[in-house]
Amino acid sequence: MSQSLPKPKTPSGGFRRIAIIGAGYVGLPTAALLSHFGHSVIVAERDQRKLDILRDGRSPIFEKDLEEYLRAGVSAKKLTFSDSAAEAVKDAEFVFLCVPTPQGDDGSADLSYIVAAAQEIGPHLIQDAIVVNKSTVPVGTAHLVERETGRDDIRVVSNPEFLREGTALADSLAPDRIVVGADDQEAAAAVAALFSPTHAPVVVTDATTAETIKYASNAFLATKLSFINAIAGLAEAVGADVKDIVLGLGYDKRIGFEFLKPGPGWGGSCLPKDTSALVKIGEDHGYDFALLRGAIASNEAQLERIVDKVLAAVDGKIAGAAVAVWGLTFKAGTDDRRASPALDICQRLVAKGAKVTAFDPEVPPANAGADDLRGITLATDSYEAVRDAQVVVLLTEWAEFRWLDFSKVADLMQSRVIVDARNHLDPAPLKRLGFSYQGVGRT
Ligand code: UGA
C-alpha cells in the first residue's frame, strides 16, 4: 500500500454522521471504508482490549490494509472510538449494527446481540435516525430491530455485507453490488448513497428480500463448493483431473472460475452458520431446502474424505502416528480459526490417536492451550512441524507452503508422504524427490 490512500469521490448524499456498533470482522472494514469516503464515523465496542488496540493505532484483527485505513481515518479526524453504544449514536444520522449473530443450538441465528444493541441504542437515537442491519440476520429482523428500539420515528434498512475475510478492504472498496432493503425506499436509497464512491450497482428492495439475498448468496457459494468437491471425488473415482475439469468448466461464462477450488471442505464464520440458518428459516416457514441440506451433508463427507486420505497414507495405523499439518486457519490471509475445516480434520485425527504437530503462520505456539487447539502441538515453522512425521497434510493454502525447500522437508520426515487437501503444491518436483503425493481430485 502506498503511504497516502487514493482520494475517493464525494458521496452523492454528502458527508454524514455514522455510528457503527461492533468492532469485528464486519464493523471495522465498514468503519474504515466509510471514514475513507469522508463520513464522520464513531465505532462503539464493549471489549476494552479491542478498544485499547484501536486507540493505539492498530487493528485487533489480521486483515490486509485494514490498519492503514483505520489510521488514516483517525488522523483525518473522521474516525473515533467509544466504549458506549448509547454515547456513539447520540449524534448519528445512520447507525450500523455490526454485532455477531452466532449459530444457536437449533441451527438458527442467535439474535441476542442484535436485540440487546437495539434496546440499548433505542432511547438515544436522534429523530429520524436510520438504523442499518449489516449483521447477517434472519428474514424479519429489520422489523424486530424496529420494535426493539421502541421508537416509531426511526427507519431500519437491511444492507447485507458481502466482503470476504482476508480481502475485506479490497472487497469493500470495489463491491460487486450494494443491496439495500427497507419498507421506506427513501431510507434505503440514503444508505446506498453512503457507498456511492464505489460506483457499484445498487439493488433497492424490501427488507425481507435484502435479508434473503444475503443468505441466498452464501448458500449458493457453499453449494458451488460442495459441487466442485463432489466432482473432485468423482474425478478420483474415474481417473480424471479436477484441475482441468475446472478449466473446462470455468471458461463457460455462465459458470466462471470463482469458487471452484476443491479443498478440505468449506468453513469459516459465515458459510456453515448461514447455510444452517437458511435451512432452519425454510423449516420455520414450511419449506424443505433439500438442496442445501445436501450441500451441507456433502461438506461433512468431504472432511471425512480428507481424514481417510491421511489414514490411507499411514496404512490405517493412525493410533500413535506422527502427523504433520500445514495450516490451521479456515483459509489463507486470515488469522480466523472459527469453523475451520483444518481444525476439524486435526481434531478428527487426534480423536483417532494421531500425534498431530501443526504449523500455521497466523497461529504461533503462543496460542497453545486454546480450546480449539486441544491435542495439537504447535510448531514454530513448517520444517519444525514435519520433523519425524510419517505424513504431512496441507490444509490451508498459505503461499509460503509453496516455496519451501522440499529436499529439506524430505530429509526431516520419517516417510515422504504428502496429502495436499488444497491442490496447492506442484506434484512433479515432489515426486522427483521421492514423495508419495495425494491431492484432491487428481490422480
Ligand atoms: C464468505 C463469503 O464469501 C462473503 O461473500 C460473505 O460476505 C462472508 O462469507 C460473510 O457472510 O460475512 P468468508 O467467510 O470470508 O466469506 O470466506 P470465503 O472466502 O467465502 O471462504 C469460505 C470457505 O470456502 C473457506 O473455508 C475457503 O477455504 C473455502 N473455499 C473458498 C474453497 O474451498 N474453495 C474456493 O474456491 C473458495
Side-chain angles (χ1 to χ4, degrees):
M1 288 273 333
S2 65
Q3 279 306 88
S4 62
L5 304 171
K7 197 172 170 337
K9 287 228 170 82
T10 302
S12 58
F15 301 124
R16 313 298 291 260
R17 298 185 309 277
I18 299 170
I20 292 186
I21 314 300
Y25 285 93
V26 172
L28 285 179
T30 306
L33 181 81
L34 291 171
S35 58
H36 174 62
F37 289 165
H39 301 295
S40 293
V41 179
I42 179 162
V43 178
E45 170 59 52
R46 276 200 180 149
D47 182 339
Q48 196 54 48
R49 186 193 66 91
K50 274 190 185 173
L51 272 183
D52 291 344
I53 295 173
L54 286 164
R55 287 183 172 139
D56 194 37
R58 292 175 295 129
S59 167
I61 55 172
F62 173 74
E63 183 64 59
K64 191 173 179 294
D65 299 336
L66 180 60
E67 203 163 275
E68 188 173 5
Y69 275 80
L70 291 175
R71 271 200 212 133
V74 171
S75 60
K77 302 206 178 336
K78 294 287 177 192
L79 180 58
T80 53
F81 305 100
S82 167
D83 60 1
S84 155
E87 175 71 20
V89 304
K90 72 176 196 307
D91 201 26
E93 299 164 274
F94 298 84
V95 178
F96 282 73
L97 297 182
C98 300
V99 297
T101 49
Q103 191 169 324
D105 293 339
D106 61 354
S108 64
D110 171 357
L111 292 179
S112 50
Y113 293 101
I114 291 268
V115 169
Q119 290 173 348
E120 186 180 351
I121 62 173
H124 307 280
L125 292 168
I126 64 168
Q127 175 90 21
D128 292 331
I130 296 178
V131 177
V132 187
N133 265 346
K134 209 140 183 78
S135 307
T136 305
V137 289
V139 175
T141 306
H143 296 119
L144 172 79
V145 166
E146 204 168 329
R147 278 198 306 279
E148 294 295 335
T149 58
R151 295 278 296 264
D152 53 16
D153 61 316
I154 61 142
R155 281 123 346 131
V156 179
V157 176
S158 165
N159 169 225
E161 184 50 69
F162 301 105
L163 58 79
R164 292 162 298 174
E165 286 180 28
T167 51
L169 252 294
D171 289 352
S172 311
L173 285 162
D176 291 330
R177 78 296 206 188
I178 304 284
V179 174
V180 280
D183 295 343
D184 180 334
Q185 302 279 286
E186 210 181 294
V191 172
L194 300 174
F195 298 95
S196 68
T198 64
H199 301 294
V202 178
V203 179
V204 184
T205 182
D206 59 88
T208 302
T209 305
E211 289 162 347
T212 309
I213 289 171
K214 170 65 195 186
Y215 281 107
S217 300
N218 276 357
F220 183 83
L221 293 172
T223 306
K224 194 171 182 187
L225 289 172
S226 280
F227 176 81
I228 201 60
N229 284 337
I231 290 291
L234 183 77
E236 282 173 19
V238 301
D241 185 331
V242 77
K243 280 211 151 180
D244 291 344
I245 295 177
V246 168
L247 282 180
L249 287 171
Y251 281 114
D252 185 327
K253 291 189 195 64
R254 294 168 302 173
I255 300 173
F257 289 104
E258 296 287 321
F259 263 68
L260 279 185
K261 283 200 206 88
W266 38 269
S269 66
C270 304
L271 299 195
K273 161 177 82 76
D274 292 352
T275 45
S276 296
L278 191 54
V279 167
K280 182 72 174 52
I281 290 168
E283 271 170 30
D284 290 347
H285 292 78
Y287 179 76
D288 175 19
F289 206 151
L291 175 68
L292 192 54
R293 284 197 287 107
I296 295 169
S298 190
N299 198 43
E300 174 69 21
Q302 185 68 4
L303 297 165
E304 206 45 54
R305 276 163 41 79
I306 303 298
V307 171
D308 286 346
K309 281 177 194 280
V310 181
L311 257 58
V314 294
D315 295 326
K317 300 188 187 90
I318 193 71
V323 177
V325 164
W326 286 334
L328 292 170
T329 54
F330 84 96
K331 64 175 178 180
T334 176
D335 58 356
D336 198 346
R337 307 198 297 264
R338 287 175 295 172
S340 169
L343 275 183
D344 190 320
I345 289 166
C346 285
Q347 292 304 352
R348 287 172 200 234
L349 292 169
V350 168
K352 290 181 191 303
K355 287 190 280 172
V356 174
T357 305
F359 170 69
D360 185 295
E362 284 303 318
V363 190
N367 287 272
D371 262 6
D372 60 343
L373 298 171
R374 247 191 334 266
I376 303 169
T377 303
L378 295 178
T380 47
D381 64 33
S382 305
Y383 300 108
E384 193 53 43
V386 298
R387 190 180 292 278
D388 297 326
Q390 292 163 258
V391 54
V392 55
V393 196
L394 190 155
L395 293 171
T396 311
E397 72 287 22
W398 289 102
E400 66 183 75
F401 296 146
R402 272 214 183 109
W403 316 118
L404 293 171
D405 175 352
F406 284 98
S407 52
K408 186 171 166 187
V409 172
D411 289 344
L412 285 166
M413 290 184 72
Q414 204 183 116
S415 15
R416 301 180 177 190
V417 184
I418 291 192
V419 174
D420 179 2
R422 295 275 186 175
N423 289 348
H424 191 56
L425 306 174
D426 182 355
L430 292 173
K431 284 179 184 161
R432 280 198 295 277
L433 284 168
F435 277 99
S436 142
Y437 174 91
Q438 266 285 320
V440 181
R442 325 152 93 169
T443 45

